[in-house]
Amino acid sequence: MYKLLSLLAYLLFCIANTGAQSPEQLTQHGDSLYRQLQQIEDREEKAQALLDLSFFWSDYDTEKALSYVSDSKKLLGDKANTNYYQGLFHFYRGAIQFDIDPEQAKQLYMQAETFLKRDIPAKNKISATRYRARLWGSYGALLQREGKAHEYVQVLIDRVIPMAKSIKDSTLWGNNLQNVAMALMNLQEYSKAKLYYDHALTLLQGRNDALEQRFTLFVNAARNALLDQEHTRSRILLDSAAHIAKSIPASSYLPTYYSVEGSYWEKQQNFSRAHMYFEKALAGAKEQNNSDMAASILFSQSAALQTANQPAAAMEKLRELLPYVEKKPSLKNKQMVYYDLATTAVKLGAYQEAVKWFEKHKIVLDTLLADQGTALTLELEKKYQTSEKENELLRVKAANQQQQLAIQRTRLFAGIFLLTTIVLGMLSLIWYISFRNRKRLAAQREKLNLFNAMLQGQERERSRIARDLHDGLGGMLAGVKLKLSAVANRESKAQPQTDSSMDLYTIINQMDDSVHELRRIARNMMPESLLYMGLEVSLRDLCNAMNQPQLQIDFQATNLQTDYNQSFLIAVYRIVQELLTNAVKHSHGTQIWVQCSQADHYFYITVEDNGKGFDPSMEGIKQKGIGLSNIRNRVEILNGHLEIDATIGKGASFHIQFEVTK
């Protein structure tokens, strides 16, 4: 019986790790598993097998998955009401709702946690802990889907891994160490991810019963090393993965392994070998009907061909990628592919085709901007409606409280007249003090609101002008340049170079310089990297743009989030921009250091220079000096704190702190 259960569990594992299958194959596998569990005689073991079969069908057929949970419950009879099995039923129902209704899935997982923490029979304690680790892992995965990657990592470290350690389940422990590492890798924290990959590899070292887990570990750890520029380590890990792959030739993770191999050889400038591995990866992804993986491989392959200076081959891969992208709703992916198609067409001299792709890219970009505006409007409307409801509730509560006080005053007036007078006097005094404070705060708030409104108006106008320059005039100039280039190419083919054709090339170069200048102005007014790439990338671009031969700017960022709200992003960007502009214009130094970091709920900005410095206590500096007034107002709007450490002849340091709220 134990061997039969082990076989059933192994079959379920293999199916879960197999690529996309046809409906006929799924039905055959499911029927085969169902026939095997019918041979189990023990009721509890058979009920458990039905639940595992439900888990298999949860990805493909919700109705069938639910029916197996129901059959398991009927088979158990009175035992179905125990804490252990109630926890299991909620866990498997949560798995069924994982993709359909994530919020309900989270509720079911937490209900399962409640049952599995209660009194559990000794024979089920280890199993209950294993299920608790699984449900918390699934709960964390749902948090990650919501963009809460850090919370997911915290769940794995604080809950899942300690549970796996407590029951000495090295496979479960190692798998979740890998999950932590992958999450950290996605957050670009490669050094931290390496520690977890190494720990997981140590746990599963030599485990022939965990070949699939070890294979995925070696592949993912190799990818992390490659991203961290550790090419030697990546090669060692890939060789280990290749050795294990010989023992599991049907692994669904082989296309991913081939893709990482292709990326490795691309880094080694061995493009023919990289192409061979990318083709293997692509063939495997297509065999599994995994369109997302195929699209990702094609994009990586086209990028490698671009690096190898093979634009024609890169264009073929982009055209092969195009149907995958256009079937999906992601506008971001379409924007990237259309842009790559346009720039590659320019390299190939296909200017008319390039114009077509630039137009599509522009349409998608406009749609993205419009969607962002709509989302912002809906969010503001929702906040307004919520605020109105809260205010109405407060008014109702206040009215009820006044009514109750009136009734009590009427009933007890004779006995507590003196006490009422004292209380009213105290309330009047408190009200007067509160009114005076509110009036003073209102005046301060009005001043800040006025300045904030002016800033928002300026930023909107900057954004509009930048968009008009980039999308309108920039697109027109780019189109003119493409057409002039086409005319120049035709003339050069029709007749030898003449003075007029040379003048035409001069005009094209001047047009190119004009386009670059216009884009530089548009980026300064509202950098696209701030809106699409995040704060760290935009600040790094700003520092690089302001670097000069005689003045070096060093930028460092630590633990910056990727989900700050837009008003905070713009405020921080403008503060750093103003401080850098002041330092470049007035410090006469040779080095500027810019540091941005976040620790817990606090965000820190430090800008230092080794210039001539100044005396911050001077009256002129306090009132208007070198743009500090705007910086102070921006910091005050965000409830931040500004410190200036400057001495004449010894440079200047600006330290700013904000409290970041979720």
Side-chain angles (χ1 to χ4, degrees):
M1 184 59 63
Y2 175 77
K3 291 181 179 179
L4 183 61
L5 282 172
S6 299
L7 175 63
L8 183 61
Y10 174 75
L11 288 170
L12 282 168
F13 175 80
C14 292
I15 294 170
N17 286 278
T18 302
Q21 303 179 61
S22 67
E24 293 78 11
Q25 290 175 314
L26 290 172
T27 302
Q28 290 174 3
H29 280 304
D31 291 345
S32 173
L33 293 172
Y34 186 74
R35 286 193 297 271
Q36 293 198 39
L37 71 84
Q38 292 301 320
Q39 301 175 34
I40 302 174
E41 297 179 358
D42 185 88
R43 283 178 174 271
E44 289 193 57
E45 292 178 355
K46 191 171 185 178
Q48 180 67 64
L50 284 167
L51 291 174
D52 290 335
L53 189 57
S54 166
F55 190 80
F56 162 69
W57 280 109
S58 63
D59 287 333
Y60 310 108
D61 191 327
T62 301
E63 186 175 347
K64 186 172 288 188
L66 287 170
S67 69
Y68 284 129
V69 174
S70 178
D71 291 346
S72 174
K73 191 173 183 179
K74 291 177 183 177
L75 188 64
L76 287 167
D78 293 339
K79 286 187 177 180
N81 298 321
T82 61
N83 290 330
Y84 177 71
Y85 283 109
Q86 282 294 313
L88 265 58
F89 296 145
H90 282 84
F91 169 79
Y92 284 102
R93 291 194 186 103
I96 295 169
Q97 297 297 328
F98 190 90
D99 289 312
I100 302 170
D101 189 344
E103 286 303 318
Q104 186 180 355
K106 288 198 289 187
Q107 292 178 12
L108 288 165
Y109 286 139
M110 290 302 95
Q111 290 170 1
E113 166 74 357
T114 301
F115 281 111
L116 293 172
K117 281 198 306 184
R118 295 175 181 171
D119 294 333
I120 301 295
K123 68 175 184 177
N124 299 127
K125 280 189 177 296
I126 293 178
S127 176
T129 304
R130 185 176 289 109
Y131 272 108
R132 289 180 64 200
R134 290 176 63 186
L135 72 86
W136 275 110
S138 299
Y139 185 90
L142 290 172
L143 292 178
Q144 187 181 40
R145 282 190 178 186
E146 297 170 3
K148 301 175 181 177
H150 289 285
E151 287 86 341
Y152 172 47
V153 172
Q154 208 63 42
V155 167
L156 293 175
I157 293 174
D158 293 345
R159 293 183 178 276
V160 181
I161 292 174
M163 291 180 189
K165 289 172 63 177
S166 70
I167 59 175
K168 299 179 181 178
D169 188 332
S170 58
T171 301
L172 181 63
W173 187 0
N175 285 341
N176 282 285
L177 285 171
Q178 180 177 204
N179 290 336
V180 174
M182 292 181 69
L184 291 171
M185 182 172 66
N186 291 334
L187 293 169
Q188 299 181 2
E189 297 184 17
Y190 306 125
S191 298
K192 291 183 180 178
K194 176 184 176 182
L195 297 175
Y196 284 95
Y197 278 128
D198 287 346
H199 194 178
L201 287 167
T202 301
L203 276 175
L204 299 179
Q205 186 175 10
R207 290 281 302 275
N208 291 327
D209 59 337
L211 290 177
E212 184 73 29
Q213 290 91 334
R214 290 172 61 201
F215 180 56
T216 59
L217 256 175
F218 281 124
V219 173
N220 291 326
R223 187 198 298 275
N224 183 75
L226 203 58
L227 292 169
D228 204 21
Q229 306 300 320
E230 294 187 64
H231 295 174
T232 302
R233 171 179 164 82
S234 180
R235 184 65 264 158
I236 294 171
L237 292 166
L238 285 170
D239 289 342
S240 299
H243 178 73
I244 294 179
K246 296 175 183 177
S247 302
I248 47 173
S251 172
S252 63
Y253 218 68
L254 276 172
T256 305
Y257 160 69
Y258 291 138
S259 178
V260 178
E261 280 278 13
S263 298
Y264 171 81
W265 289 112
E266 177 195 352
K267 297 291 185 184
Q268 303 303 311
Q269 302 291 306
N270 191 334
F271 298 110
S272 60
R273 199 159 188 178
H275 176 71
M276 178 191 73
Y277 278 110
F278 279 132
E279 286 296 316
K280 282 187 175 183
L282 187 59
K286 289 180 178 178
E287 185 179 348
Q288 295 179 15
N289 295 323
N290 192 330
S291 59
D292 290 335
M293 184 187 295
S296 175
I297 293 166
L298 283 167
F299 192 79
S300 298
Q301 198 171 9
S302 71
L305 290 167
Q306 293 280 16
T307 305
N309 197 22
Q310 300 179 28
M315 179 61 88
E316 289 182 12
K317 291 300 175 183
L318 287 170
R319 287 182 178 136
E320 189 177 349
L321 167 64
L322 191 60
Y324 292 103
V325 174
E326 292 189 329
K327 287 179 184 177
K328 299 290 183 178
S330 173
L331 294 177
K332 286 276 189 185
N333 291 342
K334 291 177 183 176
Q335 179 192 1
M336 289 190 297
V337 173
Y338 290 154
Y339 182 80
D340 284 357
L341 282 165
T343 54
T344 307
V346 170
K347 291 179 181 178
L348 294 171
Y351 298 110
Q352 289 185 345
E353 184 180 1
V355 171
K356 180 185 77 172
W357 295 121
F358 271 126
E359 287 294 330
K360 284 198 170 189
H361 169 263
K362 182 178 179 299
I363 291 170
V364 172
L365 184 61
D366 290 343
T367 305
L368 280 169
L369 291 172
D371 289 347
Q372 288 176 355
T374 303
L376 180 60
T377 302
L378 291 173
E379 183 181 355
L380 291 173
E381 183 180 359
K382 183 178 179 181
K383 287 182 178 178
Y384 172 75
Q385 291 175 351
T386 302
S387 177
E388 286 295 307
K389 289 179 180 178
E390 290 176 350
N391 289 338
E392 182 63 28
L393 181 61
L394 289 173
R395 285 194 291 269
V396 171
K397 286 183 177 179
N400 289 336
Q401 288 175 356
Q402 290 178 358
Q403 185 177 7
Q404 291 297 323
L405 286 172
I407 294 172
Q408 291 176 7
R409 247 191 337 265
T410 302
R411 290 178 177 176
L412 303 176
F413 183 76
I416 56 172
F417 176 80
L418 181 59
L419 180 60
T420 302
T421 303
I422 296 172
V423 170
L424 288 175
M426 291 177 64
L427 289 174
S428 298
L429 179 60
I430 293 171
W431 177 86
Y432 173 74
I433 295 172
S434 176
F435 174 79
R436 188 173 60 183
N437 290 337
R438 284 200 303 270
K439 188 174 181 180
R440 185 172 63 254
L441 290 174
Q444 294 176 353
R445 195 178 299 114
E446 183 178 359
K447 178 182 176 182
L448 285 177
N449 287 341
L450 178 60
F451 182 76
N452 192 26
M454 290 173 61
L455 288 180
Q456 290 179 359
Q458 289 175 356
E459 293 298 341
R460 284 195 296 269
E461 189 63 11
R462 283 178 174 175
S463 180
R464 184 190 66 79
I465 294 172
R467 190 167 57 250
D468 290 345
L469 286 174
H470 186 277
D471 296 343
L473 184 55
M476 291 170 65
L477 290 175
V480 171
K481 178 197 166 186
L482 290 174
K483 291 178 181 177
L484 286 173
S485 298
V487 171
N489 287 338
R490 286 200 299 270
E491 285 192 6
S492 65
K493 292 178 182 177
Q495 58 185 357
Q497 289 187 350
T498 63
D499 291 340
S500 61
S501 64
M502 292 303 294
D503 291 340
L504 188 57
Y505 281 111
T506 301
I507 293 171
I508 291 172
N509 290 332
Q510 291 174 344
M511 184 70 69
D512 198 28
D513 292 339
S514 299
V515 171
H516 287 311
E517 181 62 15
L518 183 141
R519 287 176 177 168
R520 184 188 67 78
I521 294 170
R523 281 197 301 270
N524 285 341
M525 297 189 74
M526 180 53 67
E528 289 185 7
S529 59
L530 182 63
L531 300 176
Y532 304 116
M533 303 295 290
L535 185 59
E536 180 176 344
V537 174
S538 62
L539 290 178
R540 194 177 299 281
D541 288 347
L542 174 63
C543 292
N544 290 337
M546 298 186 74
N547 254 327
Q548 300 176 11
Q550 70 279 12
L551 177 61
Q552 296 298 312
I553 301 176
D554 179 37
F555 173 74
Q556 293 182 354
T558 307
N559 295 331
L560 298 191
Q561 297 176 194
T562 58
D563 57 349
Y564 298 114
N565 63 62
Q566 189 170 350
S567 60
F568 182 84
L569 283 175
I570 292 173
V572 171
Y573 184 86
R574 294 302 182 202
I575 288 170
V576 175
Q577 187 180 41
E578 186 71 27
L579 288 170
L580 281 176
T581 301
N582 288 345
V584 170
K585 286 183 179 179
H586 304 288
S587 71
H588 302 295
T590 60
Q591 184 76 44
I592 299 175
W593 297 272
V594 180
Q595 294 180 337
C596 289
S597 63
Q598 182 174 336
D600 296 329
H601 298 297
Y602 290 94
F603 188 97
Y604 302 92
I605 301 172
T606 299
V607 178
E608 301 179 65
D609 64 72
N610 63 351
K612 66 180 183 179
F614 63 93
D615 185 0
S617 64
M618 290 174 60
E619 192 63 22
I621 297 295
K622 287 184 176 181
Q623 296 298 323
K624 60 180 180 179
I626 58 176
L628 288 180
S629 178
N630 280 344
I631 295 171
R632 285 194 175 97
N633 285 330
R634 287 184 186 274
V635 172
E636 191 171 357
I637 287 172
L638 294 177
N639 295 322
H641 179 67
L642 168 65
E643 287 184 3
I644 302 173
D645 182 13
T647 305
I648 294 176
K650 295 185 179 180
S653 300
F654 296 85
H655 306 279
I656 300 171
Q657 174 184 310
F658 300 116
E659 184 174 2
V660 180
T661 57
K662 292 291 183 182

